[in-house]
Coordinates of all heavy atoms in Angstrom, one line a residue:
H1 N 19.1 8.4 70.3 CA 19.5 8.5 68.9 C 18.3 9.2 68.2 O 17.2 8.8 68.4 CB 19.7 7.1 68.2 CG 20.8 6.3 68.8 ND1 21.9 6.8 69.3 CD2 20.8 4.9 69.1 CE1 22.7 5.8 69.7 NE2 22.0 4.7 69.7
G2 N 18.6 10.2 67.3 CA 17.5 10.9 66.7 C 17.7 10.8 65.2 O 18.7 10.5 64.6
S3 N 16.5 11.1 64.5 CA 16.5 11.2 63.0 C 15.7 12.4 62.6 O 14.5 12.5 63.1 CB 15.9 9.9 62.5 OG 15.8 10.0 61.0
V4 N 16.2 13.3 61.9 CA 15.5 14.5 61.5 C 15.7 14.7 60.0 O 16.6 14.2 59.4 CB 15.9 15.7 62.2 CG1 15.8 15.6 63.7 CG2 17.4 16.1 61.8
E5 N 14.8 15.4 59.4 CA 14.8 15.8 58.0 C 15.1 17.3 57.9 O 14.2 18.1 58.2 CB 13.6 15.4 57.3 CG 13.5 15.8 55.8 CD 12.1 15.4 55.2 OE1 11.4 14.5 55.7 OE2 11.8 16.1 54.2
L6 N 16.2 17.7 57.4 CA 16.5 19.1 57.2 C 15.9 19.6 55.9 O 16.0 18.9 54.9 CB 18.0 19.3 57.2 CG 18.8 19.5 58.5 CD1 20.3 19.7 58.2 CD2 18.2 20.7 59.3
W7 N 15.4 20.7 55.9 CA 14.8 21.3 54.6 C 14.9 22.8 54.7 O 14.9 23.4 55.7 CB 13.4 20.8 54.4 CG 12.4 21.2 55.4 CD1 12.2 20.6 56.6 CD2 11.4 22.2 55.3 NE1 11.2 21.2 57.3 CE2 10.6 22.2 56.5 CE3 11.0 23.1 54.3 CZ2 9.6 23.1 56.8 CZ3 10.0 24.0 54.5 CH2 9.3 23.9 55.8
A8 N 15.0 23.4 53.5 CA 15.1 24.8 53.3 C 13.7 25.4 53.0 O 13.1 25.0 52.0 CB 16.0 25.2 52.2
Q9 N 13.2 26.3 53.8 CA 11.9 26.9 53.6 C 12.1 28.2 52.8 O 12.9 29.0 53.0 CB 11.3 27.3 54.9 CG 10.0 28.1 54.9 CD 9.6 28.6 56.2 OE1 10.0 28.1 57.2 NE2 8.8 29.7 56.2
D10 N 11.1 28.4 51.8 CA 11.1 29.6 51.0 C 9.7 29.7 50.4 O 9.4 29.2 49.4 CB 12.2 29.6 49.9 CG 12.3 31.0 49.3 OD1 11.5 31.9 49.5 OD2 13.3 31.2 48.6
N11 N 8.8 30.4 51.2 CA 7.4 30.4 50.8 C 6.8 31.7 51.4 O 7.5 32.6 51.7 CB 6.6 29.2 51.3 CG 6.8 29.0 52.8 OD1 7.0 29.9 53.6 ND2 6.7 27.7 53.2
K12 N 5.5 31.8 51.4 CA 4.8 33.1 51.8 C 5.1 33.4 53.3 O 4.9 34.6 53.7 CB 3.3 32.9 51.5 CG 2.6 31.9 52.4 CD 1.1 31.9 52.1 CE 0.4 30.8 52.9 NZ -1.1 30.8 52.6
W13 N 5.6 32.4 54.0 CA 6.0 32.7 55.5 C 7.4 33.1 55.6 O 7.9 33.3 56.7 CB 5.7 31.5 56.3 CG 4.2 31.2 56.4 CD1 3.3 31.9 57.2 CD2 3.4 30.2 55.8 NE1 2.0 31.4 57.1 CE2 2.1 30.4 56.1 CE3 3.7 29.2 54.9 CZ2 1.0 29.5 55.6 CZ3 2.7 28.4 54.4 CH2 1.4 28.6 54.8
G14 N 8.1 33.1 54.5 CA 9.5 33.6 54.5 C 10.5 32.4 54.3 O 10.1 31.3 53.9
K15 N 11.8 32.8 54.5 CA 12.8 31.8 54.4 C 13.3 31.3 55.7 O 13.1 31.9 56.7 CB 14.1 32.5 53.7 CG 13.8 32.9 52.3 CD 15.0 33.6 51.7 CE 14.9 33.9 50.2 NZ 13.8 34.9 50.0
G16 N 13.8 30.0 55.7 CA 14.3 29.4 56.9 C 15.0 28.1 56.7 O 14.8 27.5 55.6
I17 N 15.7 27.6 57.7 CA 16.2 26.2 57.7 C 15.5 25.5 58.8 O 15.6 25.9 60.0 CB 17.7 26.2 57.9 CG1 18.4 26.9 56.8 CG2 18.2 24.8 58.1 CD1 18.3 26.2 55.4
R18 N 14.8 24.5 58.4 CA 13.9 23.8 59.4 C 14.4 22.3 59.5 O 15.0 21.7 58.6 CB 12.4 23.7 58.9 CG 11.9 25.1 58.5 CD 11.8 26.0 59.7 NE 11.1 27.3 59.4 CZ 11.1 28.3 60.3 NH1 11.5 28.2 61.5 NH2 10.4 29.4 59.9
A19 N 14.0 21.7 60.7 CA 14.2 20.3 60.9 C 12.9 19.6 61.2 O 12.2 20.0 62.2 CB 15.2 20.1 62.0
K20 N 12.6 18.6 60.5 CA 11.3 17.8 60.7 C 11.7 16.6 61.6 O 12.6 15.8 61.2 CB 10.7 17.4 59.4 CG 9.4 16.5 59.5 CD 8.9 16.2 58.1 CE 7.7 15.4 58.2 NZ 7.2 15.0 56.8
L21 N 11.0 16.4 62.7 CA 11.3 15.3 63.6 C 10.8 14.0 63.0 O 9.6 14.0 62.7 CB 10.7 15.6 65.0 CG 11.0 14.6 66.0 CD1 12.5 14.3 66.3 CD2 10.3 14.9 67.3
R22 N 11.6 13.0 62.8 CA 11.2 11.7 62.3 C 11.1 10.7 63.3 O 10.1 9.9 63.4 CB 12.2 11.3 61.2 CG 12.1 12.1 59.9 CD 13.3 11.8 59.0 NE 13.5 10.5 58.8 CZ 12.8 9.7 57.9 NH1 11.9 10.3 57.1 NH2 13.1 8.4 57.7
A23 N 12.2 10.5 64.1 CA 12.2 9.4 65.1 C 13.1 9.6 66.2 O 14.1 10.4 66.1 CB 12.6 8.1 64.4
V24 N 12.9 9.1 67.4 CA 13.7 9.2 68.6 C 13.8 7.8 69.2 O 12.8 7.1 69.4 CB 13.2 10.2 69.6 CG1 14.1 10.2 70.8 CG2 13.0 11.5 69.0
M25 N 15.0 7.3 69.4 CA 15.3 6.0 70.1 C 16.0 6.3 71.4 O 17.1 6.9 71.4 CB 16.1 5.1 69.2 CG 16.5 3.8 69.9 SD 17.6 2.8 68.9 CE 16.4 2.1 67.8
F26 N 15.4 5.8 72.5 CA 16.1 5.9 73.8 C 17.4 5.2 73.8 O 17.4 4.0 73.3 CB 15.1 5.4 74.9 CG 15.8 5.4 76.3 CD1 15.9 6.5 77.0 CD2 16.3 4.2 76.8 CE1 16.5 6.6 78.3 CE2 16.9 4.2 78.0 CZ 17.0 5.4 78.8
Y27 N 18.5 5.8 74.2 CA 19.7 5.1 74.2 C 20.2 4.8 75.6 O 20.6 3.7 75.9 CB 20.8 6.1 73.5 CG 22.2 5.5 73.4 CD1 22.4 4.2 72.9 CD2 23.2 6.2 73.9 CE1 23.7 3.7 72.9 CE2 24.5 5.7 73.9 CZ 24.7 4.4 73.4 OH 26.0 3.9 73.3
K28 N 20.3 5.8 76.5 CA 20.7 5.5 77.9 C 20.3 6.6 78.8 O 20.0 7.7 78.4 CB 22.3 5.3 77.9 CG 23.1 6.6 77.6 CD 24.5 6.4 77.6 CE 25.3 7.6 77.3 NZ 26.8 7.4 77.4
D29 N 20.3 6.4 80.1 CA 19.9 7.3 81.1 C 20.9 8.4 81.2 O 22.1 8.3 81.0 CB 19.7 6.7 82.4 CG 18.4 5.8 82.5 OD1 17.4 6.3 82.0 OD2 18.5 4.7 83.0
G30 N 20.5 9.6 81.7 CA 21.3 10.7 82.0 C 20.7 11.5 83.1 O 19.6 11.2 83.5

């Protein structure tokens, strides 16, 4: 299970759609 924060970048490095990693919970083997 994951948790991310989506945000829109618009600064001196340009524009983009980014995802900030917040948390990861192990769920099951694969």
